[in-house]
Amino acid sequence: MTDASRPVIGERRDPPTVPIPVQAAVRRRKRGRRALLIVPVVLIVLAILGVVAFVVGDRIFRANAETQIEQSVSQSLPAGVTGTVDASIGGGSALVQWLHGSFDDVRLHSRGLQVAGAPANAVVDITGLPVNGGAVKTANATFTIGQAAFENVPALRNVGATAPQLGTDSVSTTLSRTVLGFTLKIAVALKPSLTGQTVHLQPTSATLTAGPATIPATTIVQQLIPDGVSVCAATYLPRGVAVTGVRVKPGEAVVRLSARNLNLETLDSARTGTCG
């Protein structure tokens, strides 16, 4: 030992200072706070991912359900009606609706529809469409049908009417009559109206053509068909489907229909209605 390293007699020497571990405690507290913050963040992220997964899954389920409805309805169209339909499911979650046993709000829209050989368009709103078959709660439809569908209506043929033309709230046709060997042609304007399930066509004006002469003939027509022409619309529809409105416009007719507790799966084989 050197003289420099020997302690001086009487000199006080303090022990070396040990640092207080403050930083370690602070870090532990910070880690604890971070853990407390991470837990709710993770829960929120998981909840968001769950909602996103449900929404995406519900959209896929909705699309598949719409495809099945389209196929089922297209295969169940009544006789004389051809074409396909597009379906859309409204309301809340399609999956939840399916679990409840029926879809609350379904809209069908036709594509390439043909009725009695005439182009047509249809929009059908359905409530309570069962997922496993059966009757729907309500159905309301609007059909727009081209005038070609009316060319062979028996009620018009029976009175000698030919080539019906649809105009604004009016049906124009020609009545042919043979008198003393002469063929007379009477151009008639008929106004449509609906009573129950019967469409009435009442003459409002007429002109008679005999050779080069044309004369008013409203009185003659009223004598030939005093009650006008009546068409039972129910005979063209499945039983249970009611006509609620008829409107005529140039080249086409718009018919409104409604039904309750109607089984869509039996439309193609259902008996037609009557007008009592």
Side-chain angles (χ1 to χ4, degrees):
M1 177 180 295
T2 62
D3 293 339
S5 62
R6 292 194 185 104
V8 179
I9 298 176
E11 180 183 3
R12 180 180 176 181
R13 301 188 66 177
D14 296 329
T17 303
V18 178
I20 300 174
V22 176
Q23 294 300 324
V26 171
R27 286 174 183 169
R28 282 196 294 270
R29 285 198 296 270
K30 287 183 178 180
R31 290 196 191 101
R33 290 175 183 174
R34 287 182 186 143
L36 291 176
L37 291 174
I38 289 173
V39 170
V41 170
V42 170
L43 292 177
I44 292 173
V45 171
L46 290 176
I48 293 174
L49 292 176
V51 171
V52 171
F54 178 80
V55 171
V56 173
D58 190 70
R59 287 181 179 176
I60 295 173
F61 179 84
R62 186 185 300 267
N64 291 334
E66 290 171 346
T67 299
Q68 292 181 6
I69 293 172
E70 292 168 357
Q71 293 174 350
S72 177
V73 175
S74 295
Q75 295 169 0
S76 303
L77 293 175
V81 179
T82 60
T84 58
V85 298
D86 290 326
S88 60
I89 299 173
S93 166
L95 179 57
V96 172
Q97 293 182 58
W98 181 82
L99 292 174
H100 288 166
S102 64
F103 294 111
D104 299 332
D105 181 15
V106 177
R107 167 163 284 199
L108 305 177
H109 193 286
S110 66
R111 285 189 291 114
L113 197 66
Q114 292 277 324
V115 177
N121 181 62
V123 177
V124 185
D125 292 309
I126 301 173
T127 61
L129 178 65
V131 298
N132 292 320
V136 302
K137 185 176 180 181
T138 64
N140 294 285
T142 300
F143 279 91
T144 304
I145 308 172
Q147 68 181 17
F150 300 89
E151 292 179 356
N152 296 312
V153 174
L156 291 173
R157 290 204 312 266
N158 292 340
V159 297
T162 59
Q165 300 290 317
L166 306 183
T168 303
D169 296 324
S170 177
V171 178
S172 301
T173 187
T174 300
L175 301 181
S176 298
R177 291 293 187 273
T178 301
V179 179
L180 299 176
F182 294 95
T183 299
L184 304 179
K185 294 185 178 297
I186 306 173
V188 184
L190 305 167
K191 183 176 179 60
S193 62
L194 179 66
T195 302
Q197 299 302 291
T198 301
V199 178
H200 297 286
L201 299 172
Q202 197 66 31
T204 56
S205 63
T207 56
L208 171 63
T209 300
T214 300
I215 59 175
T218 303
T219 302
I220 297 175
V221 169
Q222 289 174 345
Q223 291 177 352
L224 292 175
I225 47 174
D227 297 323
V229 180
S230 297
V231 180
C232 178
T235 59
Y236 297 91
L237 301 170
R239 181 168 294 183
V241 178
V243 181
T244 59
V246 174
R247 183 168 62 90
V248 175
K249 57 184 182 178
E252 57 189 19
V254 180
V255 182
R256 294 191 301 274
L257 308 172
S258 68
R260 291 180 177 274
N261 301 318
L262 180 68
N263 192 335
L264 294 178
E265 296 178 350
T266 60
L267 282 179
D268 57 342
S269 60
R271 297 174 59 186
T272 58
T274 62
C275 291

